[in-house]
Amino acid sequence: MQFMKGKIQKIKIISIAACSITVFLFFLFILILSNKKQKQPQLNSEKLILGFSQIGSESAWRTRNTDSIFEAAAENDIQILFDDAQQKQENQLKAIRSFIVYQVDVIAFVPIVEDGWDNVLQEAKDANIPVIVVDRKIKANQSLYAGFIGENGVEEGRRAARYLLNKCRNSEGPVNIFEITGTENSSIVEERASGFREIIGTDSKFRIIHSENGDFLRSRGREIGDMLLASNVLENGNTTNTIYYNKQKIDVIFSHNDSMTLGFLDSMEAHKINPKGYGTIIISIDAEQESIDALTNGKLNCVVECNPNHGQMLMQLVKQVAKGESIPRITYNYETVFTEDDNFSKYDPRGY
Ligand code: GYE
């Protein structure tokens, strides 16, 4: 009898515990739900709503790009529904579909890669939501989007090569180039690579001996540097003054963005190699402040600007397409080149 009483007691305690846990979980769920509802930006449907899908925050350049869009939206009283795709295309597709469900007025996105956008753009078109492509280009039917705003990557590649042709005008050659590229299948890598090859192709002394993908990341730039410089340390610990790849002397490092270049410089520093006056010519693209500082400190030879400030121009285009007006197929940003021959005192702060 005593035994049964004990058993019933135990069952009572367990069921009370189970009930309270269920009640607790229920309230927790309500709390999360209400919090989630609160997170959805309370957008005022009177004002223009822009759905913006950004690829991530892989570089100082990218962060500035995002900031310039938020700043310009605030100045133009445009509300933003923002998504950071963490470098994944499937996240961008999901975000654009959520913008369609949300019935935003305009969609703008930075396509991490060139292909795979036709279906979702067709869905936006079917929902009568105009789309603007930002920063990188896509291979899709042009009727599926209103236009593009960003940089002319081909011209950036040409500028890097024109600097090199001038720098090596008196050298017999061969001039061996080691290229560090960014995200595979992205339009910007293909454009910079083709513009660069177009110009160096005018002189046979220039040879690209290898291209290594650094995914636009500083950490990858460092790894590539470590891979190359590891073979530079002689038995007695001294380092030679020349970098080799597969026993071929490297005369030029052409890096597709500053983050990878700065990662490479990190590696040189770690290998106690002072890039100043080092035999290898280093050319980079983006012109973030830390890279310009490296240039003025003699660690780099040339930095081609890629202007991340798309915000103001994008908001003007957003307003136009929201009114049903057409916009130019392509709108390019203004860009320049910084080299070791400049008067550095004339440089303004880069802001990124
Ligand atoms: O050069 C790099 C970023 O798409 C132009 O992406 C942009 C590039 C830029 O990761 O820093």
Side-chain angles (χ1 to χ4, degrees):
M1 188 58 183
Q2 201 49 27
F3 169 73
M4 279 310 289
K5 265 200 187 145
K7 208 152 171 58
I8 293 165
Q9 191 63 9
K10 239 196 211 136
I11 292 167
K12 266 197 195 138
I13 293 166
I14 291 168
S15 48
I16 291 165
C19 283
S20 41
I21 290 168
T22 325
V23 170
F24 170 73
L25 287 175
F26 174 71
F27 278 111
L28 189 65
F29 176 69
I30 297 295
L31 203 69
I32 292 169
L33 203 66
S34 61
N35 188 19
K36 239 182 174 314
K37 274 220 167 36
Q38 261 147 25
K39 273 233 178 67
Q40 274 299 351
Q42 300 308 316
L43 297 179
N44 166 347
S45 54
E46 301 306 305
K47 296 182 183 174
L48 274 183
I49 302 174
L50 169 66
F52 185 73
S53 166
Q54 179 62 285
I55 60 177
S57 50
E58 73 281 1
S59 62
W61 188 98
R62 182 67 52 203
T63 309
R64 177 62 212 154
N65 182 243
T66 303
D67 292 349
S68 86
I69 285 157
F70 272 97
E71 286 162 14
E75 282 157 28
N76 290 275
D77 211 15
I78 293 173
Q79 304 166 96
I80 289 197
L81 212 49
F82 178 78
D83 182 83
D84 174 339
Q86 310 285 330
Q87 308 293 326
K88 294 197 174 66
Q89 183 178 28
E90 70 258 26
N91 290 344
Q92 293 202 274
L93 296 170
K94 242 189 265 156
I96 294 171
R97 289 195 166 102
S98 74
F99 297 153
I100 295 170
V101 172
Y102 207 96
Q103 279 291 303
V104 298
D105 299 296
V106 181
I107 292 172
F109 75 110
V110 176
I112 186 162
V113 290
E114 282 183 303
D115 303 300
W117 305 103
D118 291 68
N119 296 347
V120 77
L121 292 179
Q122 186 61 57
E123 291 161 32
K125 188 169 184 175
D126 297 344
N128 292 321
I129 301 175
V131 175
I132 300 173
V133 177
V134 178
D135 175 23
R136 296 179 186 176
K137 299 190 180 102
I138 57 175
K139 285 185 185 150
N141 185 322
Q142 292 206 348
S143 69
L144 293 175
Y145 63 101
F148 163 86
I149 171 172
E151 58 284 327
N152 181 342
V154 176
E155 192 50 33
E156 290 170 357
R158 290 182 185 131
R159 288 182 177 137
R162 289 192 195 108
Y163 161 80
L164 187 57
L165 257 66
N166 180 50
K167 175 81 176 174
C168 301
R169 62 189 179 283
N170 302 327
S171 106
E172 293 297 310
V175 178
N176 292 341
I177 302 162
F178 184 98
E179 183 183 34
I180 307 178
T181 61
T183 308
E184 217 158 338
N185 302 327
S186 68
S187 67
I188 195 64
V189 165
E190 284 170 23
E191 288 191 344
R192 288 171 178 169
S194 72
F196 185 76
R197 283 161 177 72
E198 178 196 318
I199 301 295
I200 62 164
T202 60
D203 186 331
S204 58
K205 72 180 175 194
F206 294 103
R207 304 183 300 186
I208 295 179
I209 58 172
H210 182 70
S211 290
E212 185 79 21
N213 177 356
D215 224 2
F216 286 131
L217 298 171
R218 188 164 182 156
S219 54
R220 281 289 295 132
R222 168 72 197 254
E223 283 167 16
I224 293 168
D226 291 350
M227 176 266 285
L228 284 175
L229 294 169
S231 57
N232 265 46
V233 181
L234 303 173
E235 276 72 45
N236 57 12
N238 292 340
T239 52
T240 68
N241 227 3
T242 307
I243 312 179
Y244 293 87
Y245 178 74
N246 278 0
K247 300 197 173 12
Q248 296 177 87
K249 175 174 172 295
I250 295 177
D251 302 298
V252 181
I253 300 278
F254 170 47
S255 168
H256 283 226
N257 89 331
D258 286 344
S259 293
M260 298 185 296
T261 309
L262 293 166
F264 191 87
L265 290 182
D266 293 341
S267 175
M268 290 180 97
E269 221 150 291
H271 284 81
K272 301 195 175 19
I273 296 173
N274 177 355
K276 223 181 200 154
Y278 200 70
T280 307
I281 299 166
I282 306 181
I283 304 171
S284 188
I285 301 182
D286 273 353
E288 55 183 85
Q289 190 61 52
E290 195 179 341
S291 168
I292 294 297
D293 295 345
L295 176 77
T296 56
N297 293 331
K299 296 178 180 172
L300 299 180
N301 302 85
C302 171
V303 181
V304 174
E305 180 184 29
C306 177
N307 187 336
N309 300 307
H310 299 149
Q312 279 305 345
M313 287 199 282
L314 175 62
M315 294 315 145
Q316 300 323 310
L317 298 176
V318 165
K319 288 180 186 173
Q320 282 174 262
V321 294
K323 280 187 273 176
E325 293 170 11
S326 64
I327 62 172
R329 284 307 313 162
I330 291 186
T331 304
Y332 282 139
N333 222 339
Y334 168 79
E335 295 177 339
T336 186
V337 182
F338 303 92
T339 81
E340 64 212 332
D341 309 321
D342 293 346
N343 171 354
F344 300 146
S345 65
K346 291 226 165 41
Y347 284 1
D348 296 323
R350 300 297 302 153
Y352 61 102

